Amino acid sequence: MSKFLAFDFEYEHDYTLIGIHSTLEDYRLAFFLNQNLNIQLSRSNDDLDFSQDNCKFPFYIYDDENNFTDWSLISNKHAYTSSATVEKSNLFG
């Protein structure tokens, strides 16, 4: 007699992910999305920071309290951050 346990469920996601391919800069795309979707995306004070990889991604957010919805826009182009120090050296150093 064999016994097995099966879980039959579907995981419901509570978000919708939309990918946009564009040559526009992130601030320009946020501007056009605001105009056409009647939202108010604004640049967050804190970018999405991956300091171990020396890069940051611009992050825009809008909290729509009337519809209980949060909007986020994350740029796919990162800003390279360097923490390396420049050392003075001569030609034969």
Side-chain angles (χ1 to χ4, degrees):
M1 179 184 247
S2 64
K3 292 183 181 183
F4 65 93
L5 182 61
F7 293 101
D8 243 348
F9 68 91
E10 288 187 30
Y11 182 75
E12 267 191 54
H13 299 286
D14 60 348
Y15 64 90
T16 301
L17 178 66
I18 300 171
I20 300 172
H21 181 272
S22 175
T23 57
L24 294 174
E25 293 293 329
D26 52 286
Y27 61 89
R28 193 93 168 119
L29 181 59
F31 173 78
F32 285 121
L33 289 173
N34 285 343
Q35 274 190 329
N36 292 290
L37 299 177
N38 293 321
I39 59 176
Q40 297 174 359
L41 286 168
S42 61
R43 179 92 182 247
S44 173
N45 291 334
D46 301 316
D47 288 342
L48 194 57
D49 187 7
F50 292 95
S51 55
Q52 69 274 11
D53 296 324
N54 292 329
C55 63
K56 291 183 178 183
F57 292 88
F59 184 64
Y60 296 80
I61 192 160
Y62 168 58
D63 182 18
D64 185 357
E65 294 176 0
N66 294 333
N67 296 314
F68 304 104
T69 305
D70 293 326
W71 293 76
S72 300
L73 174 66
I74 302 170
S75 177
N76 199 22
K77 294 180 186 176
H78 69 78
Y80 180 76
T81 59
S82 176
S83 59
T85 58
V86 177
E87 296 181 18
K88 291 183 180 180
S89 63
N90 60 23
L91 182 60
F92 303 103

